Amino acid sequence: MEPIQKTEYRAPALEKGLEILELLACQADPLTKKQIATQLNRSINEIFRMLSVLVEKQYIEFDPETASYALTLKMFALSNQSPPIALLLKKAVPLMEKLSYSVNQSCHISRYSNGKLIVIAGQESPYKMGFSLRIGAELDIGASGSGLVLLSFSDEVKRAEILDKLDGLAPEHLEKLSAIAKKGYYIGESPQISGVTNISVPILGVWGEVMAVMTIPYMTLNSKTVNHDIADIEKTCEELIKVAEKLQQK
């Protein structure tokens, strides 16, 4: 029997649109029309109409002052409308607000998707000073508390898939994974910000999979000069675990 021949269907316009979205998603700064065309190895005429459509549909935005294009949060918003994630976010918002006020620290939730760990929800500290991450920020999986918790609580297949997309993971971090999974949480100094200690816990799904990771970037404050109670790291970790357990999909 001859093998079935697969017909390859092409959609050139769609391909151009996806190429533009994928390119802008990887950029730290907006790109001009010429820069987009050059990086995609296409002519400006080829992408002109697609850029206009993407702007009209609000997937990208155009800055007339710099004549450049950047990705909007529409794709991010659409990805979070799937029932489990939408339910998680709806339930998380009031709990995160209550948690932040009880420990006087900010907190955020991140989710792994398409090779990236992205902040999908956040609550700022009620105190006048604090450290928080913007929604949509991409976290370093190999060097963040959120990333280490993601790896620690993922099964072997998922962990291998995540690691395969990383440039590499330091041996000392690999050695921590089993201990983190055993404890149920991670506490460690932030490699980027002095005076901040990351406290991260997993939010598990129905089958025990990691749906998301919740983190408090604990900012050390001087209790002698602050006029209100500040929860210590251990107490803050306990409160964070309680919230994560309430958010688990049972």
Side-chain angles (χ1 to χ4, degrees):
M1 179 181 294
E2 294 183 0
I4 298 174
Q5 297 293 324
K6 293 185 178 180
T7 303
E8 184 178 0
Y9 295 98
R10 304 297 296 273
L14 177 60
E15 289 177 1
K16 281 187 285 188
L18 292 175
E19 287 176 2
I20 292 170
L21 291 175
E22 290 173 354
L23 173 63
L24 292 178
C26 299
Q27 304 302 310
D29 300 310
L31 298 179
T32 63
K33 196 180 303 177
K34 183 178 180 180
Q35 289 173 322
I36 294 172
T38 300
Q39 293 200 38
L40 295 180
N41 197 27
R42 292 181 179 273
S43 68
I44 290 179
N45 287 337
E46 284 184 281
I47 65 170
F48 177 77
R49 290 185 178 180
M50 183 53 65
L51 286 171
S52 298
V53 171
L54 291 173
V55 169
E56 181 182 347
K57 294 295 184 181
Q58 299 181 344
Y59 285 98
I60 64 176
E61 58 187 3
F62 177 70
D63 183 353
E65 293 187 2
T66 59
S68 59
Y69 297 85
L71 203 65
T72 67
L73 290 177
K74 185 170 184 178
M75 291 291 291
F76 169 77
L78 289 174
S79 69
N80 288 328
Q81 286 182 4
S82 62
I85 301 303
L87 179 62
L88 169 64
L89 293 176
K90 182 178 180 181
K91 192 175 180 181
V93 170
L95 292 176
M96 293 173 71
E97 182 177 3
K98 184 178 179 180
L99 173 63
S100 289
Y101 273 85
S102 68
V103 298
N104 281 296
Q105 301 285 341
S106 68
C107 61
H108 59 263
I109 293 176
S110 56
R111 175 183 176 232
Y112 180 79
S113 179
N114 298 321
K116 296 180 179 180
L117 186 58
I118 304 294
V119 176
I120 61 172
Q123 175 64 48
E124 293 188 356
S125 167
Y127 187 54
K128 60 183 178 182
M129 293 185 294
F131 174 78
S132 60
L133 295 177
R134 63 175 176 81
I135 294 176
E138 181 180 348
L139 305 181
D140 185 343
I141 295 175
S144 65
S146 300
L148 293 178
V149 165
L150 169 69
L151 290 168
S152 298
F153 288 86
S154 295
D155 59 41
E156 291 184 8
V157 174
K158 186 65 177 180
R159 183 186 298 176
E161 175 190 320
I162 296 171
L163 289 173
D164 187 54
K165 294 182 180 180
L166 296 181
D167 293 333
L169 187 66
E172 61 267 26
H173 288 327
L174 274 173
E175 295 171 0
K176 294 177 183 177
L177 300 184
S178 59
I180 294 171
K182 186 175 181 179
K183 287 194 300 183
Y185 60 87
Y186 169 82
I187 296 179
E189 293 183 1
S190 168
Q192 294 91 9
I193 310 295
S194 298
V196 171
T197 300
N198 291 323
I199 310 173
S200 301
V201 296
I203 299 174
L204 303 177
V206 177
W207 308 110
E209 76 283 8
V210 182
M211 282 189 62
V213 179
M214 192 168 185
T215 296
I216 289 180
Y218 186 94
M219 187 173 180
T220 303
L221 300 172
N222 189 339
S223 59
K224 295 180 180 179
T225 59
V226 176
N227 298 323
H228 56 261
D229 293 333
I230 302 172
D232 59 23
I233 290 180
E234 289 72 23
K235 177 63 176 178
T236 300
C237 184
E238 290 175 6
E239 295 301 315
L240 179 61
I241 291 172
K242 290 178 183 178
V243 172
E245 289 176 345
K246 291 179 180 178
L247 293 174
Q248 287 183 11
Q249 304 287 307
K250 299 177 180 179

